[in-house]
Structure formats: structure tokens, C-alpha cells
Amino acid sequence: MHQLFRLVLGQKDLSRAGDLFSLDDSEIEDSLTEALEQIKIISSSSDYQTNNNDQAVVEICITRITTAIRETESIEKHAKALVGLWDSCLEHNLRPFGKDEDTPHAKIASDIMSCILQNYNRPPVMALAIPIAVKFLHRSNKELCRNMSNYLSLAAITKADLLADHTEVIVKSILQV
């Protein structure tokens, strides 16, 4: 893992997290999977929901990672780690605190969802993502569900067979909304 990612994630150093944006995408691209795995560990800690520093570090790192993935067009290389982090969000509360206040794990899920599902035209990525995507349809977060539905409809246009096994869950979700 790139030394700056190691420092920022290892020490949860918010003061250095912004420095990640000064690095060239190609310089950190080989570190992204390992950084995602470290974020999964941090976000799964028992105090993550209440630790504002850790949440800020994770949010900045995810933004940097997803930007690098998009710019280097390396989604296939990092899809498994992205989907793993995304799936781990399902183990936590995703229901909004207030009218417009998402939980820390809902924020992670939303950022990862966008990065993954914008690649709806890449079947290998969708094959990993769709089984996890449909799980979010029943998680009491209307905004995540609405966005998920939009992305799934795009995936259906390009690769409908990937959604076939999940038709019942998708229809139930539509009927609940």
C-alpha cells in the first residue's frame, strides 16, 4: 500500500488525508484494493458510528479511491474489494438519523454504490455487484433504495440476465415503496 495511504489509514490521520489528492492516480492505483480492505476494518470497528475522526478519514479516502478507479478505468481490478466493503455496510444501521442525515455506513454505501453501478455496462463488475445491490432494496433507507433502483434499471438495459435471479426481490421492493 502506498505510504501515504498506510499513514492516513493506519493512524487515522485526518490532517494528512487531504494530501492523498496531491498524488497522481497512477501512483496509487496498485494500492486501492488494500486501502479498501483497511477501510472495511476501520468501518467495522465497534466505535466507528460515534468516531467523527474515523468517519472523516474514511470518507476522504473513499472519495480519493473512487476518483482514482474512475480515472484509471480500473474498476474490474478493484471490484471485488469495493463490493466487499459495500456488502459490509449491510451489517450496520442504514436507516437515516433525521430527515436528511444518513448514518456513516449509509454514506459509505452510497459512495461505493455510485462507483460500482456507474459501470453497469461492464458485465464482470455487475456479476459481482447485483447480488449485493438487491440486498439494499430492503434496508429502510429510501434514498439508497431509490438510487439503487435507478442503477438496476440501467443494468437491466445492458445485461438483463444478471437480474433474472433477483426478480422476486426487486418486485417486492417496488411494491413496498
Side-chain angles (χ1 to χ4, degrees):
M1 182 168 24
H2 189 279
Q3 64 184 21
L4 188 53
F5 265 123
R6 187 174 292 112
L7 172 71
V8 170
L9 291 170
Q11 297 179 10
K12 301 169 193 160
D13 188 347
L14 183 56
S15 68
R16 297 291 310 274
D19 294 344
L20 290 167
F21 290 92
S22 67
L23 300 173
D24 189 71
D25 295 324
S26 60
E27 187 178 348
I28 60 171
E29 195 272 325
D30 286 338
S31 302
L32 302 180
T33 289
E34 193 175 349
L36 286 162
E37 291 166 356
Q38 186 64 38
I39 289 170
K40 183 177 174 183
I41 292 167
I42 293 168
S43 66
S44 296
S45 70
S46 60
D47 70 333
Y48 182 73
Q49 294 262 359
T50 58
N51 191 320
N52 292 335
N53 181 77
D54 289 6
Q55 291 172 30
V57 166
V58 164
E59 193 170 321
I60 291 167
C61 287
I62 287 175
T63 300
R64 184 63 188 102
I65 290 167
T66 56
T67 300
I69 288 172
R70 184 179 59 251
E71 295 300 318
T72 60
E73 298 181 4
S74 59
I75 186 71
E76 284 93 349
K77 182 176 179 180
H78 305 291
K80 187 174 180 182
L82 274 169
V83 171
L85 175 57
W86 195 33
D87 188 28
S88 74
C89 293
L90 289 165
E91 300 169 12
H92 303 279
N93 179 25
L94 299 175
R95 184 173 294 202
F97 291 132
K99 183 178 180 186
D100 293 320
E101 193 172 340
D102 278 329
T103 66
H105 291 95
K107 290 176 186 176
I108 294 171
S110 180
D111 290 343
I112 299 296
M113 173 182 61
S114 176
C115 180
I116 293 171
L117 296 179
Q118 284 179 0
N119 291 281
Y120 62 88
N121 58 342
R122 298 184 186 205
V125 175
M126 291 299 97
L128 289 172
I130 287 175
I132 305 306
V134 297
K135 292 179 184 180
F136 279 94
L137 294 175
H138 295 290
R139 291 306 303 254
S140 301
N141 186 311
K142 287 184 181 182
E143 189 63 28
L144 273 177
C145 185
R146 187 176 9 259
N147 290 335
M148 189 69 63
S149 299
N150 290 335
Y151 283 120
L152 288 175
S153 66
L154 291 172
I157 291 169
T158 60
K159 200 72 174 143
D161 58 316
L162 289 175
L163 293 169
D165 292 340
H166 308 285
T167 306
E168 183 178 344
V169 173
I170 293 168
V171 170
K172 283 182 181 178
S173 170
I174 293 167
L175 294 174
Q176 284 181 341
V177 177

